[in-house]
Amino acid sequence: MTLPQRLEQIKSELPDGVRLVVVSKFHPIEEIQNVYDLGVRDFGENIVQELLPKYEALPKDIRWHFIGGLQRNKVRQIIPFVSLIHSVDSVRLYEEIIKRAASIPRSVDILFQVHIAEETTKSGFAVAEAKETILELCSRTEDAPFRVVRGLMGMATNTEDSTLVGKEFATLNQLFETIKSSLPQPQADRFNILSMGMSQDWQIAVREGSNLVRIGSLIMGQRTPSHRN
Ligand SMILES: *Cc1c(COP(=O)(O)O)cnc(C)c1O
């Protein structure tokens, strides 16, 4: 299949209400422009130094999703334009985002990343501590002008075992619902994004309640091995 066919195929399989973010990391500007020309406006990147030139060169109505490990000393560079940060995985990173958003000032949409996989290399808040920590951060009223906590993100274990992957996504969905039901209004209504599912597991993620999938290679093609994340 060609790229436009792969994109159409996935869009036709996604249920209503599930957003698609096309992960364009390691693909050059011209290829992203081609996907933009097919109507895509949501793109995901995981490295600040790669995102900045893409942001400069590409149309300004793109919604850039930051999905990778974010170093605190790089936050300042993406805060002016980033649409949604999926990968807030520590209190210190959260606090840096608030500080940089306040200095503009603007309000930034964020997701908290939760560690649901077996691999220790993946990051995020531990499931056991996530609820308490996230509710505490959400209760900081002085931060309210500078962030909207939109929900949770997680990555499942990289395995053929779809039962395990399904369980991990179900755990995240449960946590999402628990936190949402503990939040006061209007925060509860705005806590409405559950970002889970990539090329190899998006169908399982959608079955387990995802409403935003982050798909790279299935649409954009393989990244070169040295660039695999
Ligand atoms: C690379 C990446 C994706 C997309 O991965 P594919 O397997 O290419 O679909 C999704 N989410 C995160 C956090 C990533 O780093």
Side-chain angles (χ1 to χ4, degrees), residues 163-195:
T163 308
L164 176 63
V165 171
K167 275 187 192 150
E168 291 171 349
F169 285 145
T171 300
L172 190 62
N173 188 4
Q174 235 168 40
L175 184 64
F176 174 80
E177 291 299 338
T178 308
I179 293 172
K180 187 176 176 66
S181 65
S182 306
L183 285 171
Q185 291 297 0
Q187 284 192 77
D189 276 349
R190 299 161 100 184
F191 191 88
N192 60 6
I193 299 178
L194 183 53
S195 168

Side-chain angles (χ1 to χ4, degrees), residues 4-16 20 202:
Q5 290 168 332
R6 295 194 297 266
L7 177 64
E8 278 316 308
Q9 168 99 31
I10 288 177
K11 281 179 20 186
S12 71
E13 289 175 22
L14 278 178
D16 283 347
L20 170 65
W202 72 266

